Each structure stands twice: as C-alpha cells, then as structure tokens.
C-alpha cells in the first residue's frame, strides 16, 4: 500500500525501522512509532499524501524541526517532514513590509536574510536558530520579544494550504462582502466559511466564548482553537474591518489544514543600541513581586531564570562562560532589556529602569550588560530548556504545566498558589521564562519511568489546570496543547466551547486525517510515553566509564529532543557537521541519541549494540565533539560512538581498514625509517593509487608524508644556544608530531628554548586513532602506560604542553573514562595544555611581552580544531598570534573542517567530508589573498585545507616562532 504512495511522490517515503524510530519522538515526553515518514519535494507530493491518507483513513502528522514540547509532532500515521525541501524564501515586499516563505524556513535564518532590508520577523523563541516558520505558525509561537512585537498569530498575513480533501485554499484578510462570497463556493472551502458564519453568528455561542475563554489581555493564549479571535470584526458585529481565518489556523497544530506557503508581516529592525540590567533575588517571591512594577518601563525583554536552571549552566562548557554576570547564588534573576537608536535616550531609559529597581529594593544586585555581553546572557536564557537535561538520573524537569500564562497583575498570587500545590506534592519545581508576559515555564521534577510519578504527572497537571482556570489564564501560552494539555481544554474553556471546537475540526477535516489526537478527541496525556513505565532497566556493561550519567543508557537519555543540533551552518558553532551537509534527522546528535536509546532498551539481542541501524546512524558522525559542549544536555556522541564501535566490532569483527587506521602510528613509525621510499610510494599515481584502492581510501586524497627527526638532539642544540630564565615545562611529542608533522615539534622546541623555558620531552602515543575506530582495549592499554609519566609530571607541577589538539586533549577527556582514580585523573587533566593555552596565559600574566616580537605587518586567519573548540577555547590561539603588535588576527567562523582524522580519507565518506568543508571553511580560505597566513592547529585540518583549497596552513606555533625576534 505504501509502495504505491512512494511511486506517486517526487520526494521520498521511508518505512524502515531506523527512520520511523527517529520520528517516534519530538521534544516532549511522548513516543509514537509512525507508519512512515515522507519528505515531500513539491506541492503535488503533499496533495498525493493527503489523498492517500483520506483513501486509507491514515493520519498525517506535519513536522518541521520537531522541537514541540507537547507532543504535537508524534503520531502513528505518516509523518510529513517539510524541513528538508520546503525551505525557500520566496519574495520580499519592502513597501508592505512582508515576506513570503515556505514552512521549512528557519526563523533566525529568515532574519539574517531580512537584515539588509532593515526588517525582521519579531517572534523569537528559545529555539530560534533551528525552529521553522511552519512550526511557529502551528504553535502560535511567541518567545522573549512578545511584550514588544506580539506573537506569531499577529504576524500571519496569509496562508496557502491544502484542505483535507486535497483541494487548495488560501486564507487571508477578507472584507464582509468577500467573506460572504466565499460562502457561495460549492466546495469544502465554501462549507468551512458557511459553517463558521452560522456558528459564530449565534449570540449564545459568542457569549459563551467571551465568558469562558482566557482573559483578553493575555496575549499568549493557545488553548484550543482561537475562535475568540474570529469575533473581533464586522462580520460578527464588531468594529474591526476584515476577517482572516489565519487567526484560527495559527496555533491549530496542523489539525485543520496543511500549509505550504506563508506571508508574514514584518517589523522595522529593532533599535541598534541596547542595555540589559540583570536583577538578582534571594527569594522567588521577591523576584515575582518585582515584575509588575518593572514592567512600567518600556522593556524589550523581561525574562526570568531560577536557581535550578542556573545551577545546570555550571555543568555545560559553553554556558559556563555565559554565567559571567551572575553574582552570588541567586534564587532567581530577571533579565531586563531596554533599547534605543541614540546613546542619550538609552542612558535615560537605563537610568529610569535603575531607579525603579532601587525604589523596589527587592533585588540584591543589578549588573548592567551592554554589547556582546547581552547576547551571552540571552544565550544562557535560551539554553534553559536543553540545560534541564543535565539533571543526572531518571528524575527530569517534565513539560506538562510549563506553558501557563496569566494576566500580569495575577502573576504573583498565581505563583504563590502554584508553589503551595508543589509543596503539597513535595515537589521542587523549576521556574523560568517570560515573566514580563505573565508566563512562566513551570516544571515539576518527575521520573516518568515509575508509575507513581506518572500518576503525579496527571495529578499535578490537573491541579494546575484548575488553578489556571481560577485566574482565567491560558493553560497553553505558546507551546501548544498537543497531547499533554489537549484533554484539559474542556476544563479551560467549558464543555460547550469544547463541543464547538470539535465541530470546527469536523468542518475543516471531516475524516480526521490532519494530526489526529491533538486539540480535540485528544490522546490520553499519561499514555504513549517515551519510556515504558515500570520497566526493568537493562544492565549494559561498557568498557568506557559512563558513571557520570549513571550508565550509557542514561547518557543517551539526556537528550530531551530540544534539537539544538538541527541548527545549520549559517549559525555559530560546529554542531552537527554531518547534519549541516545532509539535512537528515539521522545525522543529528538527537537522532543518534534517540536511536541508541531505542535499541539499547528494545533489542532482544545479547549484545544490545549489535544492530545495523546503530551502525548506520553513527556512520556519518565525525567525532568532532561539538555536541559535548554545544548541546545544552552535554550529549557526547563521539564518546557514545567509540563505545558502540567497540561493542559492535567485538561481536562482528574488526575490519581491515579500521585496523590500518587504528594502528596508523605503528605503520608511520615503520614508514619513517625509510621515509623517502614511503613518500615516493604515497606520491606515485600508480602505487599510491593501488594502495588507496586496496584499503578503501578515496582516490582524490593526498596521503600524508612521513618523516623522521631527532628531537632530542635538536633540544640539546637549542639548550646550548639559549639561557634558561623561566619555568620548567614538558613538551608532549605525540604520534602525529613524531612521524608526520615533525616541523611542529622542532618549532615548539625552538620557541620554548628561545623564550627561556627549561624543556623536557615526553614521547607517547595518545591513543586517538584507537579511540576513533573503537579499539578501546588498545587505547586503554596506552592510557595505563602514559599515566605513569603524566602522574609524575602532575605531582612535580610540570605542565604538559601539546601541539595536536586531538592528542593532548585526550588527557582531559577520554582518559577520564578509562576507570582511573578520579582525583588523580582530574589533577592530570588540569596539568595538560594546548601549547597555545600555556603561552596565552604567560602573555596575560606579563611573562611574555610585545617587545619579543617583530613589528612587521601580517594578516592571520585562524581555523581551530573541533576538539579545541569543545574542550578548550579558541581565544587562546587568537591571543598568542595577536601578541605581535602589527599582526591583524581573526578567527574564521568555520565550524568543522570535515576531515576528522580517518573519516575524510574513507572513500564512502569523502564526498560528505568535502561538503562539510565547502559549507564555511573552504570559501573563507579561498576569499583570502595569498599573503594572508592561514593558521590551523589540527593535522587533519591542515590536510583538509590543502586538499580543498590548495593552500598550505601553518600551525600557530610555527607562526609564533616566525614572529619572534
């Protein structure tokens, strides 16, 4: 049956276990395995899917980024993912300040496109760097800017849609006469207008809507269908001219029609200057009491974070840096932003805000942020949802009551009663979100693997729904009803209004094919959960130590589906390079974590890792480690992949090519003894070509040359030429420096010697090649051996300085998972540095000064290794290359280079590898003139840059050496 549909589509249709597993969950607590997943390419595909669904009584679940928190994107029918192909920005009308887009356009990318026109789309969710306009319309999203720019519903001008019979319909503002004209149509669209007119012309129905729906001043309101919005026009006796059914479709979660094109109303770009005051509070009550008086100021942002969220930021490498403004240990804080186009007016607004803060006297600190510091604070706030995944164990902050919105004057009392409910349930809830809009994302902390907590899940949600109704609030402020809140709609708006919503659904979708089980006739909120309730947790033995997450399964379960890994290469960061190239869900951090979780819990095999689906989902992971720092939940796919490869290969054998790459150091050592001959073979078209073909290396790749060098003799020579005046250091000669990049070791010895450091050399293979190919026993054996020396250096206080990030940073990362004494391992990790880290610190401390360097002018552009970006930071490389006063240095916004050790050499991965390089890095390098120096500290990065651009990049230490006088 599905094969017939597949033949009718220009796009793709998948029914395999891996793909359906990937789409069984979103960012909610629910799991429903779909029948199939479709990627439509053209409008006609959507029509075919609708007709097929209607013929066979199958549900259609529309999906974009899949970041919904209420279960809107899960269902057992056909998931229709428009995020891959429906991504065009069709046109911009600057006169009307409108833009026409397809539903798969990402919000932040839309605003990047609009910036040259000095226009932007206002609603700004925490997921704005990956959420898509179609999903924002479906959920009526709002976000941090709603107090100034409104919600998505306010911005939708028109929608081109398919109705449930496969016919097309465009919804836009209609005059009274145009509305009446639509009623004369003899088709489904005409029936919709007729039925809505009949229903909403009934005074009794109108009065019931006005009486029961949330207070009109609450602009974040998604409870059910927005029939109350349709009353505000002259068609139904009000003053506003024109009626637009887009008001109804916005927030309808894809249950009424399938949207293919959206026209949005834009705003002028926000004022260019801004300042943010972050008020700190000793109690949550003080924080909430301050909201109403502070809102008398013209604020663009009024956001709240509580201690639970703030504490989660301490365990995330990226967000730890964004905590710089936090003073003490606040119970809560408010982020208050003012904006202006002039410095004078900004300072005036800021002074008025500070006076209001001082007059209230409730906060104990109120630092003022400006410039880039504001963006860091906002990023900290945006990461809140994902950061909740950092709570170790099965108890998690659960989305169920997290979308309540009340009138601002009711906020303090509402929270007071809410807190009492939580106290009665012995719950410590999480409080964060849009305080200025009267909405707080409140979350109980529950273990939904246990039936007693599932019962609490329902009980707490029910009690908070009743409390919200008491204050005439909205139970779904911006996250939608989905599964989790839909069954409470009768309570929130009354049974009569709920019956009206059911009729509205029938008018649009009489056969109930559009996203069934959402808003009306809802699925039960405590069934179809992501985890089987009261299951016996599988016991999974691993070679690597995952005790920091209570085991590998819980390490995978840290992914809560927030989808940060779906941001594209147009955004900052490197996560996730394979997704950037393919745009396939299976190539995201989320996709890999979800698949691992699914098969570790559902497989009946003795070796739970022995599944081809896992092999497929990990195949394109470049082990860049971007996810370990950029994912708010710290899901470290590179480490999970290493364990998977080990377990899978233990069961199925280790392939020859994997062995060659894993034991590459031994082969390089052997080849270096006859380096001239080895390199001649590598460079030979015939012999090198045969070698590459025989082991599965891409023929387009150049092979790295091996070398041999006597570092000890060179060190003696350098020592004889220079006086020791500074501290003792250990220079780590790793496996790459020893046999491939010997000039780096030579340059590092010269730099350290000329600067006056007393240098000891430490030769060791880090184990990186073994780890990346899953040869974990061999890697651990090396680690045990290396620990003897590393322990000695640590105890003596001799810093270990490394040149190749992927080698030296294993001492700070993977070695911690080999079961060594944690305290001892932490000391070793803290004693291991990139050479740039060490030199940057010496420069910052005044040990190394500008007079040591040339005054010559040079331009340097830096591409840093992914492991450095994840485990260390990029600034240290910038700092050492910026030491010469006339060096103009900048960091390329390059993401991952795409080589990733052996990955880019493998013939089946070559194309993806080069695609990743072409996204950012290669174009940036090609744009530079030939006299610009390209700096890259990774051996794979330098090789990839050469293969992709024919430019030779230098290690920062070589550039640093050349700059020394």
């Amino acid at each position: 049956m599905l094969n017939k549909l597949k033949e009718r589509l220009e796009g793709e249709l998948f029914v395999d276990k891996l793909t359906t597993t990937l789409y069984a969950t979103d960012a909610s607590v629910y799991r429903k395995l779909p029948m199939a997943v479709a990627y439509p390419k053209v409008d006609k595909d959507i029509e075919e899917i609708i007709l097929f669904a209607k013929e066979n009584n199958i549900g259609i679940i529309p999906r974009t980024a899949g970041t919904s928190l209420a279960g809107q994107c899960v269902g057992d029918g056909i998931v229709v993912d428009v995020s891959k192909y429906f991504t065009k920005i069709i046109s911009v009308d600057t006169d009307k300040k409108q833009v026409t887009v397809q539903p798969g356009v990402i919000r932040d990318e839309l605003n990047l496109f609009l910036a040259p026109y000095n226009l932007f789309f206002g609603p700004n969710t925490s997921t704005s760097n990956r959420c898509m306009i179609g999903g924002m319309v479906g959920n009526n999203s709002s976000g941090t800017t709603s107090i100034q720019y409104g919600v998505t519903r306010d911005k939708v001008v028109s929608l081109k849609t398919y109705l449930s019979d496969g016919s097309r319909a465009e919804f836009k503002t209609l005059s009274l006469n145009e509305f009446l004209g639509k009623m004369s149509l003899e088709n489904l669209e005409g029936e919709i207008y007729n039925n809505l007119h009949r229903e909403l012309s009934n005074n009794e129905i109108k009065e019931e809507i006005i009486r029961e729906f949330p207070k009109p001043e609450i602009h974040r309101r998604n409870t059910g269908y927005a029939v109350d919005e349709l009353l505000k026009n002259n068609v139904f006796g009000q003053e506003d001219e024109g009626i637009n059914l887009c008001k109804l479709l916005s927030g309808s979660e894809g249950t009424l029609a399938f949207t293919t094109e959206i026209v949005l109303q834009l705003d002028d770009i926000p004022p260019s200057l801004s300042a943010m005051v972050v008020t700190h509070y000793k109690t949550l009550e003080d924080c909430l009491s301050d909201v109403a008086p502070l809102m008398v100021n013209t604020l663009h942002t009024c956001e709240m974070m509580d201690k639970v969220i703030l504490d989660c930021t301490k365990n995330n490498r990226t967000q730890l840096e964004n905590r710089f403004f936090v003073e003490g240990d606040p119970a809560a804080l408010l982020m208050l932003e003012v904006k202006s186009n002039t410095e004078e007016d900004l300072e005036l607004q800021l002074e008025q805000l500070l006076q209001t803060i001082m007059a209230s006297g409730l906060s104990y600190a109120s630092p003022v942020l400006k410039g880039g510091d504001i963006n860091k604070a906002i990023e900290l706030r945006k990461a809140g949802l994902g950061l909740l995944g950092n709570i170790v164990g099965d108890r998690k902050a659960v989305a169920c009551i997290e979308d309540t919105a009340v009138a601002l004057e009711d906020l303090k009392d509402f929270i007071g009663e809410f807190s009492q409910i939580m106290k009665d349930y012995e719950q410590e809830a999480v409080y964060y979100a849009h305080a200025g809009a009267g909405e707080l994302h409140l979350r109980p902390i529950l273990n939904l693997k246990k039936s007693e907590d599932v019962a609490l899940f329902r009980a707490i949600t029910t009690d908070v729904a009743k409390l919200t109704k008491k204050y005439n609030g909205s139970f779904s402020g911006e996250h939608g009803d989905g599964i989790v809140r839909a069954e409470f709609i009768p309570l929130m708006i009354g049974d009569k209004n709920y019956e009206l919503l059911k009729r509205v659904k029938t008018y649009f979708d009489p056969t109930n094919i559009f996203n069934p089980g959402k808003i009306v006739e809802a699925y039960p909120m405590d069934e179809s959960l992501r985890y089987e309730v009261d299951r016996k947790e599988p016991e999974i033995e691993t070679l690597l130590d995952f005790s920091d997450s209570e085991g590998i399964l819980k390490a995978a379960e840290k992914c809560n589906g927030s989808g940060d890994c779906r941001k594209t290469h147009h955004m900052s960061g490197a996560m996730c390079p394979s997704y950037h190239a393919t745009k396939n869900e299976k190539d995201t951090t989320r996709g890999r974590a979800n698949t691992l979780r699914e098969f570790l819990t559902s497989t009946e095999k003795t070796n739970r890792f022995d599944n081809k689906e896992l092999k497929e989902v990990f195949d394109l992971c470049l082990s860049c480690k971007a996810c370990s720092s950029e994912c708010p939940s710290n899901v470290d796919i590179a480490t999970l992949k290493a364990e998977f490869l080990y377990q899978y290969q233990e069961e199925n054998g280790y392939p020859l090519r994997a062995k060659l790459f894993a034991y590459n150091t031994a082969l390089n050592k052997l080849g270096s003894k006859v380096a001239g001959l080895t390199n001649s073979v590598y460079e030979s078209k015939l012999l090198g070509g045969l070698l590459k073909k025989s082991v599965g290396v891409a023929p387009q790749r150049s092979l790295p040359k091996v070398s041999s060098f006597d570092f000890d003799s060179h060190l003696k020579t350098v020592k004889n030429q220079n006086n020791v005046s500074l501290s003792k250091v250990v220079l780590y000669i790793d496996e790459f420096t020893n046999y491939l990049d010997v000039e780096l070791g030579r340059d590092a010895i010269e730099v350290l010697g000329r600067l006056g450091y007393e240098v000891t050399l430490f030769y060791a293979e880090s184990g990186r090649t073994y780890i990346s190919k899953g040869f974990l026993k061999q890697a651990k054996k090396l680690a045990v051996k290396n620990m003897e020396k590393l322990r000695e250096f640590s105890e003596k206080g001799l810093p270990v300085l490394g040149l190749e990030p992927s080698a030296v940073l294993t001492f700070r990362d993977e070695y911690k998972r080999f079961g060594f004494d944690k305290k001892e391992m932490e000391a070793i990790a803290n004693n291991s540095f990139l050479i740039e880290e060490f030199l940057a610190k010496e420069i910052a401390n005044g040990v190394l000064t500008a007079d040591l360097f040339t005054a010559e002018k040079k331009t340097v552009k830096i591409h840093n290794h992914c492991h450095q970006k994840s485990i260390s930071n990029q600034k240290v490389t910038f700092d050492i290359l910026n030491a010469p006063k006339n060096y103009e240095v900048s960091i390329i916004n390059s993401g991952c280079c795409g080589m990733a050790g052996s990955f880019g050499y493998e013939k089946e991965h070559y194309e993806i590898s080069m695609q990743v390089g072409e996204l950012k890095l290669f174009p940036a390098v090609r744009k530079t003139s030939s006299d610009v120096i390209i700096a890259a500290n990774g051996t794979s990065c330098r090789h990839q840059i050469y293969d992709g651009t024919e430019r030779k990049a230098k290690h920062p230490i070589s550039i640093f050496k050349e700059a020394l006088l």
Side-chain angles (χ1 to χ4, degrees), residues 537-757:
E537 290 294 298
E539 295 179 8
I540 303 169
E541 291 187 9
T542 57
L543 189 146
L544 296 176
D545 178 11
F546 292 94
S547 60
D548 56 342
S549 298
E550 299 183 359
I552 190 170
L553 177 57
K554 291 179 184 177
E557 288 175 349
K558 285 197 299 186
C559 174
N560 58 19
S562 63
D564 297 68
C565 45
R566 283 184 60 99
K567 63 183 179 179
T568 73
H569 66 283
H570 296 293
M571 299 294 108
S572 61
M575 180 177 69
C576 180
S578 53
Y579 175 74
H580 291 169
T582 69
K583 299 298 189 294
N584 290 326
E585 175 71 18
K586 77 177 180 66
D587 299 319
T588 62
T589 301
R590 176 175 75 179
R592 292 171 177 131
N594 278 338
T595 306
L596 182 61
R597 169 187 52 77
E598 184 83 17
F599 283 92
L600 289 182
T601 52
S602 66
T603 187
E604 295 181 1
K605 293 186 176 182
T606 304
N607 182 338
R608 293 176 180 270
F609 297 88
D610 184 19
N611 286 281
K612 63 181 179 63
E613 290 85 0
L614 286 175
K615 188 171 186 294
E616 182 179 350
V617 86
F618 281 116
D619 181 55
L620 294 186
C621 170
L622 282 75
S623 298
C624 68
K625 286 196 169 288
C627 51
S628 69
S629 60
E630 293 179 35
C631 168
S633 302
N634 298 129
V635 177
D636 183 354
I637 291 296
T639 302
L640 296 175
K641 178 182 180 179
E643 183 68 42
F644 160 73
L645 285 173
Y646 165 71
Q647 299 283 355
Y648 186 86
Q649 291 170 151
E650 283 289 295
E651 189 73 25
N652 296 282
Y654 291 79
L656 173 62
R657 187 179 65 186
K659 290 179 181 177
L660 292 173
F661 280 124
Y663 287 90
N664 187 250
T665 301
L667 296 174
N668 287 337
K669 182 179 181 181
L670 186 63
S672 69
K673 295 182 185 299
V674 283
L677 177 60
T678 302
N679 292 332
S680 295
V681 171
Y682 286 175
E683 291 176 333
S684 166
K685 271 193 172 182
L686 177 62
L687 297 176
L690 287 172
L691 177 63
K692 287 186 273 189
K693 186 175 182 180
S694 65
V695 298
V697 168
Q700 303 93 325
R701 282 290 179 200
S702 61
L703 296 173
K705 293 180 180 180
V706 295
S707 301
S708 179
F709 187 75
D710 190 341
F711 292 105
D712 291 322
S713 294
H714 188 59
L715 178 61
K716 286 179 183 177
T717 301
V718 171
K719 280 183 176 179
N720 291 335
Q721 294 173 347
N722 298 279
N723 296 319
V724 174
S725 57
L726 298 174
S727 59
K728 295 181 179 180
V729 297
V730 176
L731 179 63
Y732 171 39
I733 305 296
D734 59 70
E735 59 266 41
F736 306 102
T737 305
N738 208 354
Y739 303 116
L740 298 176
D741 300 314
V742 297
E743 69 278 4
L744 307 188
R746 182 188 64 222
D747 289 349
I749 289 170
E750 290 181 21
V751 165
L752 294 170
R754 286 167 62 184
L755 290 174
Y757 294 97

Side-chain angles (χ1 to χ4, degrees), residues 449-468:
K449 292 180 180 179
K450 299 296 182 186
S451 54
E452 53 266 34
D453 275 21
V454 173
L456 279 176
F457 179 50
R458 173 173 283 281
I460 290 171
T461 306
T462 302
D463 284 355
V464 175
K466 291 176 180 176
L467 176 64
T468 307

Side-chain angles (χ1 to χ4, degrees), residues 25 128 269 440 717 779:
T25 53
S128 63
I269 211 156
L440 289 176
T717 301

Side-chain angles (χ1 to χ4, degrees), residues 361-496:
L362 293 173
S363 58
Y364 70 82
S366 50
V368 177
L369 311 182
K370 289 188 177 181
D373 286 346
I374 294 175
N375 292 331
K376 292 177 183 178
I378 290 172
E379 285 305 309
L380 187 78
R381 156 64 187 87
K382 281 189 171 187
L385 165 63
L387 288 166
L388 293 172
N390 279 334
I391 301 174
V392 176
D394 289 330
R395 297 182 75 244
K396 302 291 184 185
V398 175
C400 56
I401 54 172
E402 90 297 343
D403 205 25
T404 55
V406 296
L408 206 55
E409 64 269 17
D410 296 329
L411 182 60
K412 181 185 174 184
D413 291 341
F414 173 84
I415 292 296
E417 292 193 53
F418 169 82
S419 297
Q420 186 58 50
I421 291 173
M422 293 296 100
K423 187 176 180 181
D424 292 343
Y425 283 110
E426 298 181 346
Q427 274 286 318
E428 181 183 350
V430 177
Y431 301 75
Y432 78 104
H434 317 291
E439 177 170 17
L440 289 176
H441 295 325
L442 312 160
R443 294 186 180 218
I445 299 175
L446 301 170
N447 177 6
L448 293 185
K449 292 180 180 179
K450 299 296 182 186
S451 54
E452 53 266 34
D453 275 21
V454 173
L456 279 176
F457 179 50
R458 173 173 283 281
I460 290 171
T461 306
T462 302
D463 284 355
V464 175
K466 291 176 180 176
L467 176 64
T468 307
K469 179 61 178 176
K470 174 183 173 181
Y471 284 91
N472 250 9
S474 175
F475 200 38
S476 300
E478 63 173 336
H479 294 165
D481 296 311
I483 297 173
V484 75
R485 283 177 287 274
E487 67 171 274
F488 298 96
I489 293 175
L491 169 65
M492 302 310 301
I493 63 173
D495 290 334
K496 288 182 180 179

